[in-house]
């Protein structure tokens, strides 16, 4: 595990007051020679053929000579903080704090801020539902009632379970936790008011083979926010059981497990969550970049491991960006959801546009494979300057139908999306699922939006996607495309190369237009 490097810009070393864990590299840089010290550190790292980077910066002292912009290339947005007594003296200092979305720390909150630093500012991200999802649930063999499995989305029960909690579910596989990480859990479920839920977590008290268990419970009243489990100073496995009581219907979904950052965001520092009344989630991460147009929004493709995709790709472009990821089902649910979920994500993108002072003509949506559906679908509401697609997928119903003959057992997620949105799996349901996109398209206008798409000519997921963009979608006036021979996953490197080439073309077009006052 790589060492965490945290920087204090100030004079009084906080490490003398607070106990800093051994695996944290705590650097104190004096405000008056900050630029020189950062340049020296960067030179030393280059000699070791490593890249200089700081997981967090806390500014406790500075004056008008302090060059905060010297830190710009070495610390990410959402990881800069300053003591509430610190004031900006120059426009550059103000600009640095703004583009890093820096947050003040009140003196009375400093103790809490300085605690659990190793949990809040580590490198990387991870989450999944591998161990705890309906496919891997073990139902109590003593339960004699009926139940139904709805794809890989829900286990459905409808019964009178009594007045005491009845143990109904155990997970087939244990959940692992790393040393110096906290795990965060989120259970998907929909239930009648008469049903109550209890999650029971247990782990060996001393070691893997220890028969004594540490056990604790979380009930319905405390399930409205993610449950955080401490992994400090230990590497152990957890077992999770679900108990229910009362009378009525309940749909039990997956339990998401993620490396928690406590109060510093989801997955990566600054990651935000949109959650609806059905406990479905979408996540997004905003980075202001250089705060110059355009705002690039990238929708992650299919991925069974939860987290954001494309961070370094978008970071390299230097422009402001938003990463969006869908953690539902196995690999994502094509960004479709309730009005609460869809409107919440659309609102978040519009809010970031307003914060930057940009118009929709300074917005670019993009994605690869599953992410292309998200880019096109939300593009219908946002009407951006451009939408950039790699291996476009528009007919999710067609993807589900094609699985039977072209890709048996290769992508059953499409069937789960159909169940979740339409409520059944059939040819008619596939048609209705396709129309979710085209009905929205009929009410939208992409007259001023340019579409760039690299596609596979023998695509075995949605072979008609590019044809429909150029023929069925007559409202779109400009589509630029390039086709490659092969099925959906046969030549991803070529698709990505074309995707990035056109992305750079669009960025230059917008930037040059801005420079020319257009």
């Amino acid at each position: 595990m790589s060492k965490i490097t945290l920087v204090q810009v100030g004079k009084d070393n906080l490490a003398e007051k607070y106990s800093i864990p051994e695996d944290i590299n705590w650097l104190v840089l004096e405000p008056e020679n900050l630029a020189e010290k950062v340049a020296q550190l960067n030179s030393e790292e280059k000699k070791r053929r490593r890249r200089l980077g700081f997981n967090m910066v806390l500014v406790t002292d500075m004056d008008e000579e302090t060059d905060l912009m010297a830190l710009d290339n070495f610390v990410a947005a959402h990881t800069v903080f300053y003591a509430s007594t610190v004031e900006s003296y120059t426009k550059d200092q103000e600009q640095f704090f703004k583009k890093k979305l820096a947050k003040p720390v009140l003196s009375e909150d400093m103790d809490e801020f300085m605690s659990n630093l190793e949990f809040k500012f580590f490198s990387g991200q991870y989450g999944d539902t591998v161990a705890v999802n309906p496919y891997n649930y073990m139902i109590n063999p003593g339960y004699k009632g009926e139940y139904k499995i709805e794809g890989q989305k829900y286990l459905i029960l409808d019964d009178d379970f009594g007045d005491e909690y009845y143990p109904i579910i155990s997970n087939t596989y244990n959940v692992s936790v790393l040393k110096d990480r906290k795990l965060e859990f989120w259970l998907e479920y929909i239930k009648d008011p008469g049903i109550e839920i209890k999650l029971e977590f247990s782990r060996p008290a001393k070691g893997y083979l220890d028969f004594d268990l540490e056990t604790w419970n979380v009930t319905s009243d405390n399930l409205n926010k993610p449950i955080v489990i401490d992994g400090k100073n230990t590497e152990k496995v957890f077992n999770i059981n679900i108990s229910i009581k009362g009378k009525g219907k309940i749909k039990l979904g997956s339990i998401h497990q993620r490396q928690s950052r406590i109060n510093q965001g989801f997955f990566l520092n600054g990651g935000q969550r949109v959650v609806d009344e059905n406990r479905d989630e979408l996540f997004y991460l905003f980075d202001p970049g250089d705060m110059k147009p355009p705002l690039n929004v990238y929708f992650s493709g299919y991925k069974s491991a939860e987290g954001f995709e494309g961070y370094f790709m978008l970071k390299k472009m230097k422009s402001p960006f938003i990463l969006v990821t869908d953690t539902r089902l196995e690999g994502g649910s094509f960004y479709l959801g309730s009005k609460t979920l869809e409107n919440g994500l659309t609102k978040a993108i519009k809010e970031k546009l307003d914060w930057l002072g940009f118009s929709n003509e300074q917005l670019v949506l993009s994605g690869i494979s599953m992410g292309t559906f998200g880019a096109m679908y939300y593009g219908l509401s946002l009407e951006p300057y451009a939408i950039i697609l790699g291996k476009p997928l528009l007919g999710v119903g067609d993807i589900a139908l094609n699985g039977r003959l072209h890709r048996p057992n290769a992508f059953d997620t499409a069937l789960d999306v159909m169940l979740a949105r339409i409520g059944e799996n059939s040819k008619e349901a596939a048609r209705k699922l396709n129309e979710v996109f085209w009905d929205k398209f009929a009410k939208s206008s992409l007259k001023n939006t340019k579409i760039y798409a690299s596609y596979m000519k023998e695509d075995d997921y949605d072979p008609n996607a590019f044809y429909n963009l150029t023929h069925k979608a007559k409202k779109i006036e400009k589509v630029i495309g390039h086709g490659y021979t092969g099925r959906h996953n046969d030549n991803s490197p070529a698709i990505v190369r074309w995707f990035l080439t056109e992305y750079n073309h669009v960025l230059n077009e917008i930037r040059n237009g801005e420079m020319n006052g257009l």
Side-chain angles (χ1 to χ4, degrees):
M1 193 176 296
S2 59
K3 203 162 189 177
I4 298 170
T5 300
L6 308 182
V7 170
Q8 179 193 349
V9 177
K11 297 177 181 179
D12 298 324
N13 186 355
L14 291 180
E16 296 175 359
K17 180 179 179 181
Y18 297 96
S19 177
I20 306 296
E22 290 182 3
D23 58 350
I24 288 181
N25 182 25
W26 182 265
L27 296 179
V28 180
L29 307 182
E30 295 183 353
E32 54 268 22
N33 60 359
L34 178 62
E36 292 84 349
K37 186 60 178 177
V38 171
Q40 179 188 337
L41 290 170
N42 189 35
S43 177
E44 291 171 357
E45 289 300 280
K46 281 184 176 179
K47 289 177 182 176
R48 299 185 183 100
R49 297 186 177 181
R50 297 190 308 214
R51 185 184 179 277
L52 181 65
F54 307 131
N55 295 79
M56 186 274 286
V57 169
L58 172 62
V59 181
T60 55
D61 299 284
M62 69 176 190
D63 55 33
E64 60 274 8
E65 301 298 323
T66 306
D67 184 6
L68 291 179
M69 292 302 286
L71 297 164
D72 190 22
N73 293 328
F74 309 110
V75 63
H78 305 285
T79 62
V80 173
F81 302 84
Y82 57 93
S84 55
T85 53
V86 167
E87 294 183 8
S88 298
Y89 294 92
T90 67
K91 286 186 178 179
D92 278 353
Q93 291 172 347
E94 233 174 78
Q95 180 79 350
F96 176 78
F97 282 142
K98 185 174 183 180
K99 71 186 297 191
K100 298 303 177 183
L101 298 169
K103 300 180 185 68
V105 181
L106 300 174
S107 56
E108 60 265 32
D109 296 333
M110 188 62 75
D111 289 353
E112 189 282 327
F113 177 81
M114 291 296 292
S115 66
N116 294 315
L117 292 172
E118 69 273 33
F119 294 125
K120 298 173 182 175
F121 301 109
F122 60 88
S123 300
Q125 59 177 336
Y126 190 77
D128 64 44
T129 59
V130 172
V132 272
N133 61 59
Y135 186 78
N136 287 323
Y137 284 160
M138 292 190 296
I139 300 172
N140 188 337
Y143 178 66
K144 304 304 179 185
E146 294 184 355
Y147 62 89
K148 184 172 80 171
I149 301 289
E150 189 175 274
Q152 293 194 47
K153 178 68 173 175
Y154 290 120
L155 166 70
I156 303 173
L157 300 148
D158 191 350
D159 207 341
D160 185 347
F161 298 94
D163 297 330
E164 301 294 327
Y165 279 109
Y166 180 79
I168 189 71
I169 298 296
S170 291
N171 57 302
T172 305
Y173 303 103
N174 288 328
V175 175
S176 298
V177 61
L178 294 174
K179 182 181 178 182
D180 295 329
R181 291 288 184 273
K182 287 181 183 285
L183 274 185
E184 179 179 280
F185 296 92
W186 178 256
L187 171 62
E188 293 179 355
Y189 66 83
I190 301 173
K191 70 178 185 66
D192 289 344
I195 293 286
E196 296 294 324
I197 306 173
K198 180 174 73 173
L199 286 186
E200 180 185 86
F201 296 85
S202 60
R203 66 182 176 190
K206 297 178 181 178
Y208 288 105
L209 300 178
D210 189 9
F211 290 104
D212 293 328
L213 298 178
E214 295 176 342
T215 302
W216 59 98
N217 302 314
V218 183
T219 54
S220 297
D221 292 342
N222 295 309
L223 292 175
N224 291 325
K225 59 182 180 180
I227 304 158
V228 178
I229 303 296
D230 193 348
K232 194 168 186 178
N233 299 325
T234 184
E235 292 190 36
K236 294 182 179 177
V237 294
F238 289 93
N239 186 61
I240 303 176
N241 298 317
I242 304 175
S243 298
I244 53 180
K245 69 177 181 179
K247 183 179 181 180
K249 184 177 182 180
I250 182 168
K251 302 171 78 170
L252 287 168
S254 297
I255 300 179
H256 298 266
Q257 50 168 332
R258 303 157 184 152
Q259 292 180 354
S260 174
R261 295 183 181 273
I262 312 177
N263 55 1
Q264 293 299 325
F266 294 93
F267 297 116
L268 296 175
N269 290 105
Q272 298 292 310
R273 181 175 74 143
V274 181
V275 60
D276 71 5
E277 56 278 6
N278 295 327
R279 301 176 65 85
D280 279 349
E281 305 165 295
L282 291 174
F283 296 84
Y284 66 92
L285 174 72
F286 170 58
D287 189 313
D290 61 7
M291 298 181 66
K292 299 175 183 178
L295 170 61
N296 299 312
V297 182
Y298 178 80
F299 291 80
S300 296
Y302 168 90
K303 57 203 303 283
S304 55
E306 297 181 6
F308 295 108
E309 178 183 279
Y311 179 83
F312 293 106
M313 175 181 71
L314 272 293
K315 191 77 174 173
K316 192 175 180 181
M317 295 177 186
K318 297 185 179 179
S319 296
F321 65 86
I322 296 175
L323 304 178
V324 187
T325 191
D326 185 344
T327 59
R328 297 165 297 160
L329 301 176
E330 185 193 52
S333 195
F334 282 82
Y335 301 93
L336 292 167
S338 64
K339 286 185 178 180
T340 302
L341 210 62
E342 293 180 10
N343 292 343
L345 180 57
T346 302
K347 180 183 177 184
I349 295 171
K350 288 181 176 179
E351 285 176 348
K352 301 312 176 189
L353 270 178
D354 291 342
W355 185 87
L356 289 162
F358 296 176
S359 69
N360 64 317
E361 294 176 353
Q362 296 165 315
L363 175 66
V364 177
L365 303 187
S366 61
I368 295 174
S369 193
M370 184 184 287
T372 64
F373 186 89
M376 283 297 301
Y377 187 74
Y378 288 87
L380 297 176
S381 301
L382 296 163
E383 299 178 13
Y385 177 84
I387 302 175
I388 305 172
L389 311 172
K391 299 188 289 189
L393 300 175
L394 303 181
V396 184
D398 289 339
I399 297 170
L401 286 178
N402 287 333
R404 188 173 69 86
L405 294 177
H406 299 292
R407 306 176 326 275
N409 302 318
F411 189 62
D412 289 342
T413 295
L415 296 170
D416 287 332
V417 175
M418 194 188 302
L419 269 177
R421 185 74 182 206
I422 309 300
E424 62 176 276
N425 281 337
S426 65
K427 285 187 177 182
E428 178 60 16
R431 185 192 66 79
K432 289 179 180 178
L433 185 56
N434 286 339
E435 290 306 311
V436 169
F437 176 85
W438 293 109
D439 285 349
K440 186 174 183 180
F441 181 85
K443 301 170 187 175
S444 307
S445 171
L446 291 180
K447 185 177 180 180
N448 297 316
T449 299
K450 299 176 183 179
I451 310 291
Y452 297 81
S454 53
Y455 65 97
M456 302 305 294
K457 295 178 180 178
E458 292 81 30
D459 196 296
D460 50 339
Y461 282 69
D462 185 3
N464 298 317
F466 188 76
Y467 178 86
N468 286 337
L469 274 177
T470 53
H471 291 75
K472 187 174 181 179
K474 295 179 181 178
K475 289 185 182 180
I476 304 174
E477 294 191 355
K478 190 169 185 181
V479 180
I480 300 96
H482 187 84
Y484 295 91
T485 298
R487 296 163 299 177
H488 189 75
N489 291 317
D490 279 349
N491 198 353
S492 293
I495 292 287
V496 171
R497 281 195 299 271
W498 196 91
F499 177 87
L500 292 174
T501 298
E502 294 308 311
Y503 222 130
N504 286 324
H505 168 76
V506 170
L507 293 179
N508 289 331
E509 197 170 66
I510 294 175
R511 289 165 181 162
N512 290 336
E514 292 291 322
M515 290 174 63
N516 294 328
L518 298 179

